[in-house]
Amino acid sequence: MKKGKVCVFGSFNLDIVAGMSHFPQPGESVIARNSMMGAGGKGGNQAMAALRAGARVHYIGKVGRDDFGSFARRHLDNAGFDAVTLFSTAEYPTGNALIYVAGNDAQNMIAVDPGANLTVSDEEVEQCRPAIAAADLLLTQLENNLSAVEKVIAIATEAETYIVLNPAPFQKIPDALLAQIDLLTPNAHECTLLTGITVNDISSAQRAAEQLHLKGVKAVVVTLGAQGALLSASGQTELVPACPAQPKDNTGVRDAFNGALASQLAGGYSLLQAATFASAYAALCAEREGAAASMPTYLQALARLEAFKTVH
Ligand code: RIB
């Protein structure tokens, strides 16, 4: 497989995760069955997924000059990225997320303090121009200040780097930004907020995707959980079935999907091939605890995909 070059601009958070039998009610203290601290943030998670799924990755992010920031630097320096550009500020803390995981389906509740992630300046983004221009694909999200996301995307547009935007967590984005996106990857909730169409099944996702195309988005992948992922591009739609999983922790599962998708697209695979692989990759991530630490390798995901295909 060709190792494509992926540039990921996005958040780094220090995640503190507690696994519990049920989510606490207001005023209730619940004894957790376990807890862990690890690397997270949608940008860092997606970069790790793209890397382990087979891409060469340049990660760009920003942290505080604090202990969590030192943790971030150690984690990122040891991950195996081609390059890391990590800006820092003494004025804001490193982003952090307090995460509860509970229930048979291992769903989560997350409180994020984005801290330094929201302070990326135009000058800092400008320093990243060569990295963005050198990549086959730019992957970014909405967990940073919108001004930085807009500038990163403007640079990628000028450089003709393929742009993937995962619009999570949702923030309002101008149509002018959407018009520059090659591939948008909302979930049902984000798709509803982006289009005003209530997305809860395949046909509503299809209608919402059509509206996003009218705004200039070239391709759309709507992730619909157990219903799979709807792909819409070049006047055609396809449904990629969800790969079944025995979930332990759903934190970072969509990041796994997005990172794996990006790695396969940058490696030259079609959108359908990339999304099919990403679905198996995300299933494996759900079966592991933690976010960045739970990203499987390319070969592990390939084995899961083959096993899934054999059964279906
Ligand atoms: O997408 C999962 C991530 O969202 C977590 O790692 C947490 O940091 C939050 O940003």
Side-chain angles (χ1 to χ4, degrees):
M1 165 196 159
K2 176 193 157 210
K3 274 184 172 276
K5 280 193 194 168
V6 175
C7 179
V8 180
F9 169 70
S11 57
F12 181 93
N13 291 332
L14 194 290
D15 288 355
I16 298 173
V17 189
M20 45 226 321
S21 57
H22 63 277
F23 292 118
Q25 298 298 309
E28 182 187 6
S29 295
V30 176
I31 303 294
R33 56 167 182 259
N34 59 14
S35 66
M36 60 177 284
M37 185 181 95
K42 296 186 192 306
N45 295 344
Q46 293 184 18
M48 187 61 97
L51 175 76
R52 293 215 178 132
R56 297 177 56 188
V57 178
H58 186 141
Y59 169 70
I60 301 165
K62 185 161 181 177
V63 295
R65 287 185 205 134
D66 49 20
D67 289 348
F68 288 180
S70 306
F71 176 98
R73 197 168 287 280
R74 273 198 309 280
H75 160 78
L76 294 165
D77 284 349
N78 292 324
F81 294 119
D82 265 19
V84 173
T85 303
L86 195 62
F87 298 107
S88 68
T89 170
E91 287 162 45
Y92 290 86
T94 298
N96 58 84
L98 305 177
I99 304 177
Y100 295 155
V101 177
N104 292 338
D105 52 356
Q107 284 305 333
N108 57 33
M109 291 172 76
I110 307 183
V112 180
D113 174 4
N117 292 307
L118 295 184
T119 70
V120 184
S121 68
D122 279 6
E123 293 69 31
E124 287 166 335
V125 175
E126 190 55 46
Q127 289 175 44
C128 303
R129 184 178 285 273
I132 297 166
D136 297 306
L137 184 152
L138 169 78
L139 173 61
T140 190
Q141 317 77 29
L142 297 176
E143 210 168 37
N144 293 93
N145 45 307
L146 188 58
S147 57
V149 176
E150 288 181 309
K151 189 157 173 65
V152 164
I153 287 174
I155 291 173
T157 302
E158 282 165 36
E160 297 185 3
T161 300
Y162 188 88
I163 300 166
V164 182
L165 174 64
N166 172 224
F170 179 79
Q171 338 182 6
K172 271 198 164 169
I173 46 178
D175 285 355
L177 187 72
L178 282 177
Q180 296 171 77
I181 306 303
D182 292 300
L183 172 60
L184 189 74
T185 62
N187 65 8
H189 173 69
E190 291 146 5
C191 206
T192 299
L193 295 172
L194 282 163
T195 63
I197 294 170
T198 304
V199 175
N200 47 21
D201 58 13
I202 293 154
S203 72
S204 52
Q206 212 159 335
R207 275 183 282 120
E210 275 155 25
Q211 194 176 113
L212 290 165
H213 290 315
L214 290 177
K215 289 180 192 258
V217 179
K218 290 170 201 71
V220 181
V221 173
V222 186
T223 51
L224 295 164
Q227 295 183 73
L230 178 95
L231 319 188
S232 176
S234 314
Q236 291 199 314
T237 56
E238 309 249 15
L239 184 71
V240 171
C243 188
Q246 307 284 321
K248 257 195 185 159
D249 179 357
N250 277 301
T251 311
V253 167
R254 284 185 64 211
D255 299 331
F257 183 91
N258 278 277
L261 184 73
S263 79
Q264 301 303 291
L265 290 173
Y269 289 98
S270 71
L271 184 57
L272 179 60
Q273 289 169 322
T276 305
F277 175 83
S279 164
Y281 192 92
L284 271 181
C285 171
E287 294 179 355
R288 300 165 173 207
E289 284 173 343
S294 67
M295 300 304 169
T297 63
Y298 171 75
L299 289 177
Q300 288 166 339
L302 201 61
R304 170 57 66 95
L305 181 60
E306 291 308 324
F308 179 52
K309 278 188 190 157
T310 309
V311 175
H312 290 78

